[in-house]
Amino acid sequence: MDILKLKGSGQAQTTSEDKVAKPEISSLASVAADRSESKGDFVPRRPGAGLEAKGVHAWFGKHHVLANVSLNFPSGTVTALIGPSGCGKSTFLRTLNRMHEFIPGAGMAGEVLLDGTDIYKSGTDVTKIRLKVGMVFQKPNPFPSMTIGENVLSGIKLAQLKVSNKDDLLEECLQRAGLWNEVKDRLSAHGGSLSGGQQQRLCIARALAVKPEVLLMDEPCSALDPGSTLRIEETIRQLTESVIVVIVTHNMQQAARVSDFTGFFLSDGGPGQLVEVASTKEIFSRPKDERTEAYVTGRFG
Amino acid sequence: MTTQLQNDFSTMKPNRPWRPTPRKMAEDFLVIAIAAVLSPVIVQFTGLAGISGNVLTFFVLSLVGSIGISYSRQGRKAVGNAVATSLIYSSFALVMLPLASILYTVISRGYQSLRINTFTQDMSLTQPEAAFDQGGALHAILGTLILVAIASAISVPLGILTGLYLTEIKGRAENLIRFLVQAMSGVPSIVAGLFIYSVIIIGSGGHYSGFAGALALSILMLPTVARTAEEVLKLIPNDLREAGVALGATQWRTVVMVVVPAARSGIITAIILGVARVAGETAPLLLTILGNNTTHFNPFDAPMSALPLYTFNLFRTGLNTAISRAWTGALVLMFIVLVLFIFARLGSGKKK
């Protein structure tokens, strides 16, 4: 399989000739705001900051599910991972904060560099990695034994962090997750009493409370109604000020709306691989690979 | 064009169209009533006799009646449903019968010699044939409470940790341990008593004690707590464990702060089942605490009594008064177990 590998920010810019030469093939191209123009010469706040996957492979037992994925996630960006079911997007996501190894029989190869250091280096404290690389799951999973407030601050207690003012943190995280106004009067109610969309935003607030550098989102809106989805997308856009966001989604509009870069994964029976990665605008208007084009225009998958 | 949503529905009343109509309820009642009236008549004119004959006839008649009425209403499809419903109600009645009978017998017979002094005096200065306002079961009540407390202190932490090993750690010995726990739950209680007798009592030179009894009870209690704890921990969705770990927690903190609190009510059920398993055990106590008539607090130095053993020993005397006291012992034992259950259930309710 011919894999087209592109480094996210480096190749994100396109020339004006390209735009003239190829008409936009996807209606989503107009949705995808061309953020890459401004992020093209993006300078990371700290040198070496950011997350980078180098030649990542993954196995479940003897089953090779993901092969040779290299992807760069510069700070201040949102990257969407798209592709048909079973192409290894979620598995790849879970290798980025070492949740992959939570599954019995899991195996991996390659490097994942967080701020220049391989998170799989022996002797690494895995809890510190997961503290820096937070995760929001597909199904909202607030802790049932805790109240809304306790849920948000649960990461602080679980990871035994010290916080000077818990009330401020609580409000800040709920504000950032777009949930504060709805729950500020019932912080001591149980998390399970919220609607599905509210629960998911509660989970986002919970993930933000430990101040992660990266937030991984595994189809966070797949069970939500359009209103909640929109709010979470707004939240994601606001998060980019301080957090790198990587989002797996089956919703092409969502990828177009929220992401700066988009990676397309595909499996043709073998392990899933990264077919193409480029600025979101480019993926939805002038993808270089014809399989990407077929996928984003809805002709297969 | 937009119209304002109408929000005033105060005149509406909730309806329950899925409820049976009065006519349907009357028909169902009629079937039962006819069966109840007809069955003694049938028993009169056939070879059937007695209570069991009546019950059997009533069961067959009401079954036939409910089959007929559901067939007339909804045809063949509904008949299977009617048969299953009848069977389930009958099984329920069948199960409740011995339970109610036991409760009735213990209460009615135990009540006769139940006095205040049952709870305040022991049998050290009283012969079993003395009047009921002398002597009591204080020593046995205390003994049971002490034994159950020690056995729980040993088995509950061990059992919950075993459950956690089987569901959270899933170590190399997982299958071996699961097998051993299952095998342990099949150990006859007298064997547990013999084991402690041969190891502790003989080993210490014939030194019977409450602690030895508690050890024997904990052997019986451990597998019950461990298996139930495993079952309830298995029900906790993996999402919660992943959410905890993904927040940067160690596995141990995730288990303590997320998994166990989520399974709290189930774990309390595990403890209740464990206590219920051992509170009424008699056989292992015969060999370990021996029995005693004086109130004795120290579980380490001398023979003790417990309610099942108290009951057993009084029954063996064969005297009417003693047997009456034995029934009282059984009643108090049932009451203690009930109170423990109620406390545990209150404790397992949602915290507010």
Side-chain angles (χ1 to χ4, degrees), chain A residues 94 99 102 127 130-131 135 137 139 141-146 154-155 157-160 190 206-207 210, chain B residues 170 237-251 253-254 257-258 261-262 350-352:
Chain A
R94 289 169 66 95
M99 286 300 287
F102 211 68
T127 60
R130 294 186 186 132
L131 209 54
M135 192 162 203
F137 297 83
K139 238 174 75 189
N141 52 4
F143 298 133
S145 56
M146 301 183 192
S154 59
K157 263 171 101 180
L158 277 164
Q160 293 169 281
H190 274 262
R206 179 176 71 186
V210 295
Chain B
K170 295 183 174 136
N238 220 19
D239 296 10
L240 292 181
R241 298 185 177 93
E242 292 201 342
V245 171
L247 282 169
T250 58
Q251 193 189 5
R253 278 192 82 78
T254 308
M257 290 185 56
V258 177
K350 290 229 158 127
K351 60 170 180 180
K352 272 287 164 199

Side-chain angles (χ1 to χ4, degrees), chain A residues 66-124:
Chain A
L66 187 72
N68 200 28
V69 176
S70 294
L71 251 174
N72 187 20
F73 308 98
S75 43
T77 62
V78 178
T79 304
L81 308 179
I82 60 170
S85 291
C87 66
K89 309 178 296 289
S90 294
T91 304
F92 174 65
L93 198 72
R94 289 169 66 95
T95 61
L96 297 178
N97 69 342
R98 297 192 57 172
M99 286 300 287
H100 175 60
E101 67 210 51
F102 211 68
I103 295 163
M108 72 87 65
E111 284 184 327
V112 177
L113 303 176
L114 180 64
D115 296 342
T117 317
D118 186 9
I119 64 171
Y120 285 95
K121 200 172 75 181
S122 70
T124 305

Side-chain angles (χ1 to χ4, degrees), chain A residues 15-37:
Chain A
T15 58
S16 52
E17 286 86 11
D18 281 348
K19 280 181 184 164
V20 180
K22 256 187 165 182
E24 293 186 342
I25 50 115
S26 162
S27 61
L28 291 173
S30 55
V31 180
D34 203 349
R35 300 194 185 88
S36 53
E37 307 290 275

Side-chain angles (χ1 to χ4, degrees), chain A:
Chain A
M1 191 191 254
D2 171 45
I3 308 292
L4 188 58
K5 257 182 284 168
L6 298 172
K7 278 281 167 69
S9 57
Q11 313 254 335
Q13 286 159 312
T14 44
T15 58
S16 52
E17 286 86 11
D18 281 348
K19 280 181 184 164
V20 180
K22 256 187 165 182
E24 293 186 342
I25 50 115
S26 162
S27 61
L28 291 173
S30 55
V31 180
D34 203 349
R35 300 194 185 88
S36 53
E37 307 290 275
S38 57
K39 296 262 167 72
D41 48 46
F42 187 88
V43 182
R45 283 162 301 162
R46 280 170 292 139
L51 186 68
E52 188 180 359
K54 278 185 171 173
V56 169
H57 295 252
W59 289 264
F60 289 122
K62 288 194 172 116
H63 189 49
H64 197 172
V65 292
L66 187 72
N68 200 28
V69 176
S70 294
L71 251 174
N72 187 20
F73 308 98
S75 43
T77 62
V78 178
T79 304
L81 308 179
I82 60 170
S85 291
C87 66
K89 309 178 296 289
S90 294
T91 304
F92 174 65
L93 198 72
R94 289 169 66 95
T95 61
L96 297 178
N97 69 342
R98 297 192 57 172
M99 286 300 287
H100 175 60
E101 67 210 51
F102 211 68
I103 295 163
M108 72 87 65
E111 284 184 327
V112 177
L113 303 176
L114 180 64
D115 296 342
T117 317
D118 186 9
I119 64 171
Y120 285 95
K121 200 172 75 181
S122 70
T124 305
D125 181 354
V126 65
T127 60
K128 285 197 177 126
I129 298 300
R130 294 186 186 132
L131 209 54
K132 288 183 188 167
V133 187
M135 192 162 203
V136 175
F137 297 83
Q138 184 174 358
K139 238 174 75 189
N141 52 4
F143 298 133
S145 56
M146 301 183 192
T147 66
I148 292 172
E150 285 169 347
N151 256 293
V152 175
L153 298 174
S154 59
I156 305 292
K157 263 171 101 180
L158 277 164
Q160 293 169 281
L161 305 176
K162 291 224 161 49
V163 181
S164 52
N165 194 333
K166 284 188 176 173
D167 291 339
D168 284 355
L169 181 71
L170 178 64
E171 181 174 349
E172 180 201 327
C173 294
L174 284 169
Q175 289 276 16
R176 289 177 74 188
L179 191 60
W180 175 249
N181 287 329
E182 288 157 66
V183 302
K184 64 182 173 194
D185 298 322
R186 46 172 179 154
L187 291 172
S188 54
H190 274 262
S193 65
L194 299 172
S195 75
Q198 290 173 327
Q199 286 189 13
Q200 190 63 301
R201 278 178 281 147
L202 179 62
C203 292
I204 293 175
R206 179 176 71 186
L208 293 175
V210 295
K211 308 272 178 201
E213 295 173 24
V214 184
L215 192 59
L216 310 175
M217 306 179 110
D218 190 357
E219 296 181 49
C221 303
S222 65
L224 304 186
D225 68 282
S228 306
T229 302
L230 212 63
R231 276 214 201 85
I232 287 177
E233 288 176 7
E234 281 166 19
T235 306
I236 294 171
R237 287 310 316 166
Q238 284 156 16
L239 290 178
T240 54
E241 287 161 26
S242 53
V243 187
I244 300 170
V245 178
V246 186
I247 177 170
V248 167
T249 179
H250 280 294
N251 180 339
M252 229 70 77
Q253 278 97 347
Q254 181 165 63
R257 283 192 298 260
V258 299
S259 68
D260 303 301
F261 302 107
T262 299
F264 173 58
F265 283 67
L266 191 62
S267 152
D268 58 355
Q273 304 185 37
L274 180 65
V275 173
E276 183 174 356
V277 60
S279 78
T280 299
K281 176 91 173 164
E282 204 168 339
I283 288 285
F284 285 107
S285 56
R286 296 169 301 279
K288 296 208 167 51
D289 193 290
E290 61 188 20
R291 289 163 299 180
T292 315
E293 183 179 331
Y295 187 75
V296 300
T297 52
R299 276 187 277 125
F300 91 96

Side-chain angles (χ1 to χ4, degrees), chain B residues 281-300:
Chain B
E281 277 296 346
T282 318
L285 301 185
L286 278 170
L287 298 166
T288 50
I289 67 172
L290 198 62
N292 192 345
N293 282 331
T294 48
T295 307
H296 195 71
F297 288 96
N298 190 337
F300 294 101

